[in-house]
Amino acid sequence: MPQRPGYHHGDLANALIAAATQLARDGGPEAVVLREVARIVGVSATAAYRHFTRHSDLMHAVKQGAQDDLVSAMRAELAMTAAVPDPSAEALRQLRALGHGYLRFALAEPGLFRTAFAQTNKSGEHEAPGQSTATMAGSAGYQLLAETLDELVAVGMLDPGRRRYAEIVTCSWARGLAMLLLDGPLSAFPAELRDQVIFHGLDHIRHYLTGDTRPAPAPSPVARSAQLTRWPRSSATIR
Amino acid sequence: MPQRPGYHHGDLANALIAAATQLARDGGPEAVVLREVARIVGVSATAAYRHFTRHSDLMHAVKQGAQDDLVSAMRAELAMTAAVPDPSAEALRQLRALGHGYLRFALAEPGLFRTAFAQTNKSGEHEAPGQSTATMAGSAGYQLLAETLDELVAVGMLDPGRRRYAEIVTCSWARGLAMLLLDGPLSAFPAELRDQVIFHGLDHIRHYLTGDTRPAPAPSPVARSAQLTRWPRSSATIR
DNA sequence: TGTACATCAGTGAACGCGCGTTCACTGATGTAC
DNA sequence: TGTACATCAGTGAACGCGCGTTCACTGATGTAC
């Protein structure tokens, strides 16, 4: 990103998005105020209108980024542990990783998490019925879950007859737990306890899907608690 | 409620709450604007300050009411079907009724549902740590669920070892599903389909809790779909 | 039973704020000849 | 290679809005004597 040589910025659109993302990260979607964004970048508020026809368009871009970040967090959690040879165990590992990634991102980046699911009306869209912008987890995340669930069926752990509503139930659980952890009564819990709730919740989901009532293999490694603080985000460098 | 005889209103506090509730019903918590509330009641904005020290206090009252309404909806659903003699079947009936009540209220009164879980900072409270105002379903609703889960254990349908996280998982599912239905991708579904999602979801929860894999007894009665439109609310008569 | 007066519950005007957005403009850049 | 000019990407001032809240006030009510 250039050093702002003078009158022309060079990459104002991205700079605005980055600043807006930082605001969303700190204060949620309501904190994304166009004038403040311009202020941060060091540009007049009017300049933003060269790159976004209105506030909600900027908002939309931030939301997209937040959704991408969520999916990245899920992918990162997938990559954090090694794949195991046994297909059944591998499918379970993936399921757990996706859930952990989702919920840990929610805890680490509550502002971005809320932004990812915020209601935005982009320019052309008129409440667009039937084509909701608020996809499950940015669509890509939903796809990851769907694949893992398919794998669970293929491996024989998930009854095909119970496949149909599996992602809705799983998504509902994860989304609701995130709300309880962020805004609800569970928000008062200390970080460790919240991690435990997530861990046990995920184990319940596993049990629900597979019918396997045996307890979870091991408690959540403490080493990962460090990750609960802040999620590193490559695209959010300002200026 | 008196007919507003002249200068003195007589019951302004309640009238303001009622009007504010109507705004919340139609537009969610953000729609509760003090000046607009006063306008509706036909009183100067200043008058509100005789009864609420600030906006957030009025908001708090509305939120309380919305939480009560949610619990009422759950209770009403409980009362809608007759109790059955068999304790196991009865516990399941209650579980289903609570879930249906919760989710149907969310669909019928999205504005109030959101308001029930909105973040409000009442006068004295300073982010009050450890004592979150956002209780599970207004606390009373949580109590109802807890009792039903206890009953499931007593009856032998729910393994005591799996009792511990049962309400968190169940609450998470319900809350998340409500979000998906109201703001998420499921909001585009037609009413019937959404009711089916609820019905199947609840059946999955039942299966998850009890381990009973047999399918649900009967599909959701169509007759109840009428209820999805609007929830009758006794306390919200304006003026 | 009638009067003085404290208190209660309203009023209207105004303040200050910050927002999204528009306007007419100007400095910088790139291209045609 | 140098110049004219269209276009691009900024600027600063201003508009209009609606909000929560405060101020000094006034009409209605209730109570003491």
Side-chain angles (χ1 to χ4, degrees):
Chain A
M1 216 171 276
Q3 267 289 61
R4 174 89 151 120
Y7 199 85
H8 280 65
H9 183 281
D11 193 23
L12 187 50
N14 284 322
L16 290 170
I17 292 175
T21 300
Q22 188 59 44
L23 288 177
R25 185 202 303 271
D26 293 338
E30 315 83 38
V32 179
V33 165
L34 191 141
R35 293 173 89 112
E36 176 68 10
V37 169
R39 231 169 274 140
I40 293 173
V41 178
V43 107
S44 74
T46 320
Y49 287 86
R50 291 282 157 206
H51 304 275
F52 303 94
T53 68
R54 41 202 251 213
H55 174 258
S56 55
D57 284 18
L58 171 58
M59 199 63 227
H60 186 77
V62 175
K63 177 179 170 173
Q64 297 274 63
Q67 287 180 348
D68 291 348
D69 287 352
L70 173 54
V71 175
S72 297
M74 292 165 74
R75 285 222 166 84
E77 192 85 24
L78 265 181
M80 196 162 280
T81 55
V84 288
D86 176 44
S88 297
E90 172 60 14
L92 283 181
R93 183 191 73 89
Q94 288 180 19
L95 179 69
R96 265 191 276 260
L98 291 179
H100 267 120
Y102 183 97
L103 284 156
R104 281 179 168 149
F105 179 79
L107 282 176
E109 293 288 9
L112 292 182
F113 183 82
R114 287 198 193 95
T115 306
F117 294 105
Q119 304 278 46
T120 59
N121 287 337
K122 222 204 148 200
S123 261
E125 299 169 12
H126 264 302
E127 297 275 319
Q131 228 282 335
S132 175
T133 45
T135 45
M136 289 261 185
S139 206
Y142 182 77
Q143 199 58 37
L144 286 175
L145 174 59
E147 283 166 17
T148 296
L149 291 174
D150 286 343
E151 190 59 27
L152 278 175
V153 172
V155 143
M157 296 194 80
L158 173 57
D159 176 7
R162 304 185 50 242
R163 170 70 184 80
R164 191 173 174 196
Y165 289 92
E167 53 254 273
I168 292 185
V169 171
T170 307
C171 275
S172 297
W173 166 79
R175 182 80 189 280
L177 182 53
M179 303 301 291
L180 294 186
L181 286 168
L182 295 184
D183 298 333
L186 271 50
S187 64
F189 281 26
E192 295 174 40
L193 224 71
R194 287 186 295 178
D195 212 36
Q196 267 195 31
V197 169
I198 294 173
F199 180 80
H200 281 106
L202 254 174
D203 199 51
H204 280 56
I205 287 291
R206 173 194 61 90
H207 164 252
Y208 148 74
L209 288 172
T210 66
D212 180 5
T213 54
R214 285 171 301 176
S220 181
V222 184
R224 284 201 194 155
S225 290
Q227 206 188 324
L228 283 173
T229 49
R230 271 253 140 148
W231 194 262
R233 187 165 188 272
S234 56
S235 63
T237 19
I238 296 186
R239 226 162 246 261
Chain B
M1 217 171 274
Q3 266 289 61
R4 173 88 150 122
Y7 199 85
H8 281 66
H9 183 281
D11 193 22
L12 186 51
N14 284 321
L16 290 171
I17 293 175
T21 301
Q22 187 59 43
L23 288 177
R25 186 202 301 273
D26 294 338
E30 314 84 38
V32 179
V33 165
L34 192 141
R35 294 174 89 113
E36 176 68 8
V37 170
R39 230 170 274 141
I40 293 174
V41 178
V43 107
S44 74
T46 320
Y49 286 86
R50 292 282 158 207
H51 304 275
F52 303 95
T53 68
R54 43 202 251 211
H55 174 258
S56 54
D57 285 17
L58 171 59
M59 200 62 225
H60 187 76
V62 174
K63 177 179 171 171
Q64 296 276 61
Q67 288 181 347
D68 292 349
D69 287 353
L70 173 54
V71 175
S72 297
M74 292 166 74
R75 286 223 165 84
E77 192 85 23
L78 265 181
M80 197 164 277
T81 54
V84 287
D86 176 44
S88 297
E90 172 59 13
L92 283 180
R93 183 191 73 89
Q94 288 180 18
L95 179 69
R96 265 191 278 261
L98 291 179
H100 267 118
Y102 183 96
L103 284 156
R104 282 177 168 148
F105 179 79
L107 283 177
E109 294 287 10
L112 292 182
F113 183 82
R114 286 198 195 96
T115 306
F117 294 105
Q119 305 277 46
T120 60
N121 287 336
K122 221 204 149 200
S123 262
E125 300 168 11
H126 264 304
E127 296 274 322
Q131 227 283 333
S132 175
T133 46
T135 45
M136 288 261 183
S139 208
Y142 182 76
Q143 200 59 38
L144 285 175
L145 174 60
E147 285 167 16
T148 296
L149 290 174
D150 286 343
E151 189 59 27
L152 278 174
V153 172
V155 143
M157 297 193 81
L158 174 56
D159 176 7
R162 302 184 52 241
R163 170 71 183 79
R164 191 172 174 197
Y165 290 91
E167 52 254 274
I168 293 186
V169 172
T170 307
C171 274
S172 297
W173 167 79
R175 183 78 190 280
L177 182 53
M179 301 302 290
L180 294 186
L181 287 167
L182 295 184
D183 298 332
L186 272 50
S187 64
F189 281 25
E192 296 174 40
L193 224 72
R194 286 186 296 177
D195 212 37
Q196 266 195 32
V197 170
I198 294 174
F199 181 80
H200 282 107
L202 254 174
D203 198 52
H204 279 55
I205 288 290
R206 173 194 61 90
H207 163 251
Y208 149 73
L209 288 172
T210 66
D212 180 5
T213 54
R214 285 172 301 176
S220 180
V222 184
R224 284 202 193 153
S225 291
Q227 205 188 326
L228 283 173
T229 49
R230 273 260 138 138
W231 194 262
R233 185 164 190 271
S234 55
S235 63
T237 20
I238 296 186
R239 226 162 246 258

